Amino acid sequence: MEHTHPGYSDDKAAVLKRLARVEGQVRGINRMVESDTYCIDVLTQISATTKALEAVALKLLDEHLAHCVADAAAKGGPEAQLKIKEASDAIARLVRS
């Protein structure tokens, strides 16, 4: 299977910006734990960080469906079925997490 470029290529800067924000949130959580912040406050920040990371995942999934899966489906054949299976498996992993 050939991967010429990821579906999110056009939005790579935005994806990286979101991931940098998530990284900052995780560092903030680390500082909260180091400074013995109240448990509920730490959990609130973990929840916010989880939601932010899920938003990145959904953005990547949307781009994958719109580009990689759509292109493969238009071409047909075994690659189309493989891309659909990949997307389905990715959705299942996101739902389970």
Side-chain angles (χ1 to χ4, degrees):
M1 177 174 27
E2 182 181 318
H3 298 282
T4 55
H5 59 79
Y8 60 85
S9 291
D10 293 341
D11 292 327
K12 185 175 180 176
V15 171
L16 289 171
K17 185 176 181 180
R18 285 182 175 195
L19 288 172
R21 198 172 305 129
V22 170
E23 184 179 8
Q25 287 176 289
V26 171
R27 283 192 307 268
I29 292 167
N30 189 60
R31 285 189 301 272
M32 291 174 79
V33 172
E34 286 175 346
S35 64
D36 297 322
T37 301
Y38 183 57
C39 301
I40 296 301
D41 294 338
V42 175
L43 290 170
T44 298
Q45 289 307 310
I46 289 172
S47 178
T49 303
T50 300
K51 293 297 181 196
L53 198 52
E54 286 173 353
V56 173
L58 289 174
K59 171 71 173 163
L60 293 175
L61 179 61
D62 184 55
E63 294 296 332
H64 181 67
L65 291 171
H67 298 283
C68 304
V69 175
D71 289 348
K75 292 176 186 171
E79 183 179 350
Q81 293 303 314
L82 182 60
K83 290 289 184 186
I84 291 168
K85 172 93 170 85
E86 274 182 349
S88 180
D89 291 347
I91 292 166
R93 284 191 302 273
L94 286 171
V95 170
R96 282 193 301 263
S97 63

